[in-house]
Amino acid sequence: MPKTIKLTRGLDIRLKGEAGKTLKEVSPRLYAIKPTDFIGVFPRLQVKEGDHVKAGSPVFIDKYRENIIYTSPVSGTITEIKRGDKRLLLEIKIEADGRDEFVDFGAASPAALSNEEIIGKLLDSGLWTMIKQRPYGVVANPDVKPKAVHISAFDTAPLAPDYDFIIQGKSKDFQTGIDVLAKITENKVHLNVSKTTSAAEFLQCKNVTINTFSGPHPAGNPGIQIHHLDPINKGDIVWVVGVQEVVAIGRLFNQGRYNPEITVALAGSEVIAPAYYKTHRCASVFEILKGNVNEGNNRYISGNVLTGTRIRPDNYLNFYDSMITVIPEGDQYEFLGWAMPGFNKFSISRSFFSWLNPGRKYVLDSNKHGGERAYVMTGLYEKVLPMDIYPLQLIKSILFEDIDLMENLGIYEVEPEDFALCEFVDVSKSEIQTIIRTGLELMRKEMS
Amino acid sequence: MKALRRTLDKMKPQFQKGGKFEKLHSTFDAFETFLFVPDITTSRGSHIRDANDMKRTMVIVVIALIPALLFGIWNVGFQHFISIGETATFWDNVLFGLGKVLPIIVVSYVVGLGIEFAFAQIRHHEVNEGFLVSGMLIPLVLPPDTPLWMVALSTAFAVVIGKEVFGGTGMNILNPALTARAFLFFAYPASMSGDKVWIAEKADAFSGATPLAEAAASVSSGKAIEFSHSISDMFFGFIPGSIGETSTLAILIGAAILIITGVGSLRIMLSVVVGGLFMGGLLNIFAINPYMAMPAYIHLIAGGFAFGTVYMATDPVTASQTNKGKLIFGFLVGIMAVLIRVLNPAYPEGMMLAILLMNVFAPLIDHYVVQANIKRRLKRIPKPVKA
């Protein structure tokens, strides 16, 4: 029995609207690939409006890394290429034709293929983009062998999907996906599971090192797990792949095609019947939300409430996301709100009386609960960041752009998501995740 | 409340850019956010935020100061009537105390907030809430008879020189309230030290010495310390002293509020106490005079030790910011406070100077704590194998 890494620092935010363990199916018609989902990509379009694409056809490539191809999840027609300020490519919209045509990449056992053939297959099918690299959180570089690959088999974020449920029946594809990663990295795959999991799909996996974690959020973040297993030093490259991405890679080798099926959790206090949905990567969320959301001013999020992206209810799932959250908007004033006893206010501190009721679940809205202020409080971020990193010092080093200090303070080990709770608890109401991303981008430019 | 909100909404455009009162934007913002938590929503990053903000945090500290304040008001009256030999009722004490303390509080807030508003306006910042706490701390660390012009002057000095020149809240090196007190201490020593100032309108014949002064006197006289107050008087606070510092019990109630809410640092509080007891114990061992032989625990309940430990040393901006640094910082504050008290006859109260001194050293302590972290990180990199 492997030993459990127990994390004590962190915070579980108890929200209402957890997805029930029922699986519904929707067949989306509209899709959009958003280059903005991928950090640091300079997209060069391979299609124009009106073109017909199959599942697995190239849609755009990275101008500076031309072998990295981003492909269509579905067969259909390119209906719109949406650009924003300075012609920034925002969305490539595809309308499915329902014919399910796909590019055949050929089913094959990873054991029978050479590493070059495997990597080639992943790049051609566009599934290579499912492998993210630390530091910086960009799509991995196929020319560099990583120190390790980490797959987190659980998500501790508020209302996060339960991968024990999602993985059911996908054990074969998951194992193939792991075999693929193990082959090209020479068996350096880590599967990080929760102490509470009983899913045989994870526990009986072969070709992996299984590590067990327990503790509050962010214990499920790969960044935290890597930090405790084998931290990223300067010059190290580590790959991170999500559970559903491993399944998709497995399917590529078992079925020979890009199969975009994923299971997403629809959760949040404004959802009438929170549940799991079988849908497609990059698909419109419209069919999922239809008739299942309370009337009113709501915030729709692709991803979880801490790290997700704000979307409109007719928008699309982000490439890497496995959940949709709907919470109320908080754009209202509250009379003397800072002075109220606050029995219904969630806080890590005990400055509201809600701490007297520890089991309660909350409806939290998007209100910031205060204006932005100077950094005054100390010791608060440390309570929710289970890493041997000084968060305030790192944040400040990024703000004054001291590259050496950022490096010394451990910027390579972090991703914005690891600091999401710091941002949540911050009484100064600063945008810490944005600061961390800025720091990582500074580093990336400096090092390239 | 809707009517109030409507009025504010109607007024708001005039205070925004291009409006008639554009120059008073920060002032309007301060009052508006005081009345209403703003309707700002998250745009990037975390979509939900903790309900706690700077206002709430600072208000918790002010609430934690209330026991010491209320006791202080009563005690100012109580000490006064004892010194003139009159018996007074509870309400006599409170009324007298209010007459002394309230004007000081008003002056401190008016002067301090006035300057804060002005600076926020000039810098186009929001008004920071830090002064809500400083404005209450300043009166509580002053002797009850401090002239109001001195309160005004020291507050202005503390806010401008102690805080705003460094960039405002969050950037200051020294605790503003202690800066105010230190300013008076060095500029007007006659009003801030000796036996005369600790009781409001004291009768001349009455001694009025604080326990610390009595202890310090034993050094020169060489005789055993003669406290005119019992240990329990010191703990409950029936002694002369600065307005808010006398009652260790009231301060402990405040400490409990700060610790339970998580606003004040338990690390710092405990390590200051440990430091004080450690130094007191060390002096006991090498005692060559009665003060050095005084039981160490008396340091904790006499003078401003408890008040400084709970409300001053824990100031997150001027204390060490790392958790390890806080332990070192607090421990050294405790050591220095007792050291200055016992070994430096010029300063019977060492707490203020100890905290200010450690405020200056706090960034250095943090520097070494962070350097240790950096060294740990560098050590992890495997050394290249020699060919």
Side-chain angles (χ1 to χ4, degrees):
Chain A
M1 186 66 197
K3 85 171 197 296
T4 303
I5 296 175
K6 279 193 194 123
L7 303 177
T8 49
R9 289 182 286 160
L11 176 68
D12 284 326
I13 303 170
R14 304 177 301 272
L15 295 186
K16 272 188 188 157
E18 198 182 335
K21 297 276 162 59
T22 51
L23 189 60
K24 298 176 187 172
E25 206 163 329
V26 288
S27 41
R29 193 172 56 84
L30 296 172
Y31 294 74
I33 306 173
K34 296 182 265 192
T36 46
D37 289 353
F38 308 96
I39 290 149
V41 67
F42 287 88
R44 178 183 289 160
L45 275 176
Q46 304 293 301
V47 291
K48 53 185 186 303
E49 281 178 20
D51 280 4
H52 180 260
V53 287
K54 297 175 183 173
S57 305
V59 173
F60 64 91
I61 58 170
D62 191 342
K63 199 162 138 188
Y64 295 108
R65 298 196 289 177
E66 290 189 342
N67 54 352
I68 297 181
I69 302 168
Y70 299 77
T71 54
S72 168
V74 67
S75 80
T77 315
I78 309 280
T79 52
E80 189 190 345
I81 291 168
K82 195 173 157 192
R83 289 182 184 271
D85 294 342
K86 297 183 185 167
R87 289 184 51 76
L88 177 75
L89 196 52
L90 293 179
E91 286 173 356
I92 297 126
K93 293 189 190 171
I94 303 166
E95 187 175 342
D97 55 15
R99 287 206 296 256
D100 196 26
E101 294 171 325
F102 56 87
V103 182
D104 190 2
F105 299 99
S109 157
L113 298 173
S114 73
N115 284 358
E116 288 70 31
E117 285 170 318
I118 292 178
I119 293 172
K121 208 188 258 290
L122 285 168
L123 285 168
D124 291 343
S125 63
L127 266 60
W128 182 265
T129 57
M130 294 183 180
I131 304 173
K132 286 210 263 187
Q133 166 190 314
R134 302 282 170 100
Y136 316 129
V138 296
V139 170
N141 180 350
D143 303 328
V144 180
K145 272 218 175 91
K147 173 162 102 162
V149 185
H150 286 267
I151 302 160
S152 176
F154 66 114
D155 191 343
T156 42
L159 303 174
D162 180 0
Y163 284 107
D164 288 7
F165 177 72
I166 288 181
I167 197 71
Q168 282 174 20
K170 303 188 177 85
S171 155
K172 183 170 163 254
D173 290 330
F174 187 70
Q175 182 62 55
T176 311
I178 287 196
D179 293 343
V180 168
L181 293 168
K183 180 93 197 279
I184 56 176
T185 60
E186 285 146 12
N187 290 323
K188 286 177 192 148
V189 183
H190 290 263
L191 182 63
N192 305 328
V193 300
S194 160
K195 193 179 177 225
T196 56
T197 186
S198 55
E201 290 88 342
F202 294 133
L203 295 174
Q204 288 171 11
C205 257
K206 290 178 204 74
N207 267 340
V208 288
T209 314
I210 292 182
N211 310 296
T212 315
F213 285 84
S214 73
H217 187 60
N221 283 10
I224 307 292
Q225 296 160 355
I226 297 167
H227 179 84
H228 287 275
L229 293 167
D230 184 12
I232 302 173
N233 298 314
K234 186 181 180 178
D236 285 351
I237 298 286
V238 170
W239 288 354
V240 172
V241 193
V243 168
Q244 303 217 64
E245 284 70 35
V246 175
V247 171
I249 290 171
R251 283 200 205 109
L252 172 69
F253 286 82
N254 289 337
Q255 304 171 355
R257 60 166 294 192
Y258 177 3
N259 180 338
E261 264 177 30
I262 53 166
T263 306
V264 298
L266 172 64
S269 59
E270 299 314 298
V271 178
I272 294 164
Y276 288 82
Y277 287 84
K278 206 162 133 187
T279 177
H280 291 165
R281 210 173 280 275
C282 303
S284 163
V285 297
F286 180 77
E287 285 86 355
I288 295 177
L289 295 172
K290 200 168 56 184
N292 200 7
V293 176
N294 289 331
E295 297 270 318
N297 190 4
N298 294 328
R299 172 161 301 195
Y300 301 88
I301 302 161
S302 172
N304 66 56
V305 286
L306 289 176
T307 61
T309 319
R310 183 179 187 171
I311 56 172
R312 279 179 296 136
D314 58 349
N315 278 172
Y316 309 87
L317 261 180
N318 279 8
F319 188 77
Y320 297 106
D321 286 341
S322 292
M323 80 175 301
I324 304 160
T325 316
V326 188
I327 57 168
E329 281 287 0
D331 54 347
Q332 67 275 6
Y333 290 95
E334 190 191 358
F335 182 66
L336 292 180
W338 53 273
M340 295 294 160
F343 287 100
N344 55 354
K345 291 187 169 173
F346 185 83
S347 174
I348 187 176
S349 73
R350 295 193 201 86
S351 44
F352 295 94
F353 284 103
S354 53
W355 67 276
L356 295 170
N357 189 356
R360 179 188 166 133
K361 290 190 171 175
Y362 293 83
V363 175
L364 297 190
D365 60 31
S366 64
N367 192 290
K368 264 189 151 175
H369 302 293
E372 205 162 315
R373 293 291 183 267
Y375 291 111
V376 167
M377 290 301 285
T378 61
L380 198 54
Y381 306 150
E382 282 87 344
K383 284 185 190 164
V384 292
L385 183 73
M387 292 174 121
D388 183 22
I389 278 178
Y390 284 100
L392 185 64
Q393 283 71 16
L394 180 60
I395 290 166
K396 287 185 176 174
S397 74
I398 295 170
L399 289 176
F400 53 74
E401 303 188 353
D402 184 335
I403 300 277
D404 289 338
L405 191 57
M406 280 153 65
E407 188 176 288
N408 283 335
L409 290 173
I411 186 129
Y412 296 125
E413 298 170 50
V414 304
E415 271 290 296
E417 61 175 20
D418 302 329
F419 279 70
L421 277 174
C422 296
E423 185 172 74
F424 173 79
V425 300
D426 186 17
V427 291
S428 302
K429 309 290 175 192
S430 60
E431 296 190 323
I432 295 175
Q433 292 190 81
T434 311
I435 295 171
I436 298 289
R437 176 57 68 207
T438 311
L440 285 166
E441 286 299 280
L442 261 174
M443 277 325 281
R444 198 165 63 86
K445 293 209 175 87
E446 187 75 14
M447 303 309 279
S448 62
Chain B
M1 289 316 108
K2 277 190 181 139
L4 184 61
R5 186 63 247 165
R6 272 200 299 276
T7 321
L8 282 173
D9 283 337
K10 221 179 276 170
M11 285 163 67
K12 207 170 182 175
Q14 303 192 328
F15 289 92
Q16 277 160 345
K17 224 172 173 186
K20 222 191 298 179
F21 304 111
E22 185 188 334
K23 292 229 165 83
L24 288 173
H25 172 72
S26 294
T27 313
F28 179 80
D29 179 77
F31 283 109
E32 190 199 0
T33 58
F34 177 84
L35 286 171
F36 291 93
V37 171
D39 63 344
I40 313 167
T41 55
T42 52
S43 50
R44 296 180 292 185
S46 180
H47 296 268
I48 53 173
R49 295 299 185 98
D50 195 294
N52 206 7
D53 70 342
M54 201 63 84
K55 273 197 184 61
R56 183 76 177 188
T57 307
M58 293 301 170
V59 164
I60 297 276
V61 184
V62 173
I63 291 172
L65 280 165
I66 286 176
L69 170 71
L70 293 181
F71 184 86
I73 289 173
W74 174 84
N75 192 45
V76 166
F78 178 68
Q79 295 296 331
H80 165 74
F81 287 113
I82 285 187
S83 86
I84 58 171
E86 276 180 25
T87 44
T89 64
F90 173 80
W91 289 110
D92 289 341
N93 292 337
V94 170
L95 276 179
F96 181 86
L98 271 178
K100 286 284 164 192
V101 177
L102 216 51
I104 300 183
I105 295 178
V106 170
V107 168
S108 152
Y109 270 118
V110 167
V111 172
L113 285 177
I115 298 173
E116 287 263 339
F117 274 73
F119 269 91
Q121 203 62 69
I122 294 165
R123 293 195 172 123
H124 304 287
H125 277 183
E126 290 98 351
V127 178
N128 269 284
E129 288 83 0
F131 194 78
L132 288 181
V133 173
S134 304
M136 183 59 84
L137 282 173
I138 292 173
L140 294 185
V141 295
L142 293 179
D145 251 349
T146 314
L148 293 180
W149 65 268
M150 278 193 200
V151 178
L153 194 63
S154 64
T155 306
F157 179 86
V159 174
V160 176
I161 304 295
K163 194 154 95 172
E164 294 299 341
V165 293
F166 293 104
T169 304
M171 323 280 181
N172 47 314
I173 294 172
L174 300 175
N175 181 303
L178 281 181
T179 310
R181 193 182 194 278
F183 172 77
L184 287 185
F185 184 80
F186 290 108
Y188 305 99
S191 311
M192 292 297 292
S193 48
D195 291 346
K196 295 201 170 58
V197 301
W198 306 110
I199 298 175
E201 294 173 21
K202 179 174 77 73
D204 284 340
F206 193 78
S207 130
T210 62
L212 285 180
E214 290 169 342
S218 72
V219 177
S220 47
S221 69
K223 288 184 216 142
I225 305 174
E226 286 174 36
F227 285 126
S228 42
H229 298 90
S230 67
I231 296 296
S232 77
D233 279 356
M234 291 189 213
F235 177 75
F236 291 112
F238 308 125
I239 51 173
S242 296
I243 294 168
E245 71 173 16
T246 59
S247 171
T248 311
L249 179 68
I251 293 164
L252 279 177
I253 297 171
I257 295 174
L258 290 179
I259 291 166
I260 290 172
T261 54
V263 170
S265 166
L266 177 62
R267 270 192 185 81
I268 293 180
M269 292 185 207
L270 278 183
S271 57
V272 176
V273 169
V274 170
L277 287 176
F278 172 80
M279 194 65 223
L282 206 63
L283 290 173
N284 287 166
I285 295 172
F286 298 101
I288 49 166
N289 63 38
Y291 200 175
M292 285 172 78
M294 185 181 85
Y297 73 90
I298 295 182
H299 281 294
L300 306 184
I301 53 175
F305 194 97
F307 192 87
T309 303
V310 172
Y311 302 111
M312 302 288 205
T314 52
D315 172 9
V317 175
T318 56
S320 280
Q321 305 190 337
T322 56
N323 283 340
K324 267 182 208 149
K326 281 176 183 161
L327 293 176
I328 302 168
F329 168 87
F331 188 69
L332 291 176
V333 166
I335 285 186
M336 292 306 298
V338 172
L339 202 64
I340 295 170
R341 276 182 178 181
V342 179
L343 297 185
N344 191 333
Y347 303 116
E349 176 51 292
M351 198 59 185
M352 171 186 84
L353 293 171
I355 296 174
L356 285 174
L357 185 71
M358 291 320 297
N359 280 172
V360 174
F361 281 103
L364 186 71
I365 298 172
D366 280 338
H367 174 79
Y368 282 110
V369 172
V370 172
Q371 283 302 315
N373 176 273
I374 291 174
K375 277 197 193 120
R376 263 199 309 282
R377 184 162 292 111
L378 289 176
K379 233 187 225 166
R380 266 187 348 219
I381 303 176
K383 292 216 175 71
V385 187
K386 278 180 194 155

